[in-house]
Amino acid sequence: MSVGFYLDQNRCTGCRACQVACKDKNRLEVGIVYREAHTYTVGAFPATKAYSYSFGCNHCENAVCLNNCPTGAIYRAADGTVIQDQSLCIGCRMCVMSCPYGQPKFFPEKGVSGKCDGCYGLREAGNEPACVAGCPNRALMFGDMEKLRAEFGPDLDEGSIAVLPSPAETQPNVLIRAKECAFDEDYHELNW
């Protein structure tokens, strides 16, 4: 079984409500986020277009963070979620350096790393992950990858190519309904 995220870029406005909900739920300190939302523009004035991308841990099939953790602090739960047990983390940062997507994060004051766990505890209690529940436009969903493909279409794996490094190594569990302009290579990130 594999679990992961679905993102509809046609619904995502880059409002960062998902980012704030995740930060609040995980009590993350200033400067550290597990989920980030970015907005990009493509084209040149006056013919510009924009798209937003909300990203976090992709709970990859071939999770290099898990494969490179020397202590077993990162493991795969029964449902496929890639989870970290911070009590086993020695702060070597192998997971941080291994992940091509910028996940997990290192907490220098604690001397350990941390990462998105898909709000495993919330889901066990029957709730959605905080980022999904916090999205006002319902652009994010989390669940079984086969069910998400069945609901939203089997062709969404190509959307990850538009916004992520090559998925060939890690096989991320993320489906993206990409805006057409997300495939344009001439993009600029908007910083607000």
Side-chain angles (χ1 to χ4, degrees):
M1 179 175 182
S2 299
V3 293
F5 286 98
Y6 162 78
L7 170 68
D8 186 342
Q9 286 185 328
N10 297 293
R11 289 177 170 246
C12 181
T13 62
C15 71
R16 297 184 176 155
C18 57
Q19 182 175 313
V20 172
C22 173
K23 190 170 183 67
D24 181 57
K25 184 264 177 200
N26 289 293
R27 305 271 191 246
L28 299 175
E29 298 185 16
V30 174
I32 296 180
V33 291
Y34 289 163
R35 174 156 293 278
E36 299 179 52
H38 294 270
T39 300
Y40 303 89
T41 61
V42 294
F45 181 81
T48 59
K49 295 178 183 176
Y51 67 94
S52 297
Y53 178 54
S54 170
F55 63 96
C57 178
N58 296 315
H59 303 282
C60 303
E61 285 300 310
N62 184 28
V64 292
C65 62
L66 183 153
N67 298 340
N68 291 326
C69 178
T71 66
I74 299 178
Y75 63 96
R76 190 174 304 277
D79 73 350
T81 308
V82 178
I83 297 178
Q84 181 183 28
D85 180 347
Q86 283 187 334
S87 71
L88 299 176
C89 181
I90 59 172
C92 69
R93 298 180 229 182
M94 284 302 295
C95 58
V96 175
M97 294 182 284
S98 299
C99 180
Y101 309 113
Q103 304 291 325
K105 308 296 184 188
F106 183 68
F107 298 90
E109 69 288 342
K110 295 178 184 176
V112 297
S113 297
K115 64 176 288 304
C116 161
D117 64 2
C119 292
Y120 191 75
L122 286 178
R123 290 187 293 113
E124 281 192 314
N127 299 305
E128 296 178 318
C131 60
V132 172
C135 179
N137 297 323
R138 307 311 297 158
L140 267 178
M141 293 187 80
F142 186 90
D144 177 88
M145 292 300 288
E146 292 308 313
K147 289 179 182 176
L148 292 173
R149 280 188 184 94
E151 183 174 349
F152 297 108
D155 61 338
L156 298 178
D157 293 311
E158 289 184 14
S160 67
I161 295 169
V163 293
L164 296 175
S166 172
E169 179 186 1
T170 63
Q171 301 154 2
N173 283 315
V174 61
L175 299 174
I176 302 169
R177 183 171 306 283
K179 275 191 171 181
E180 195 62 35
C181 63
F183 291 96
D184 189 330
E185 293 181 13
D186 180 33
Y187 69 89
H188 306 280
E189 185 173 355
L190 295 176
N191 295 312
W192 354 53

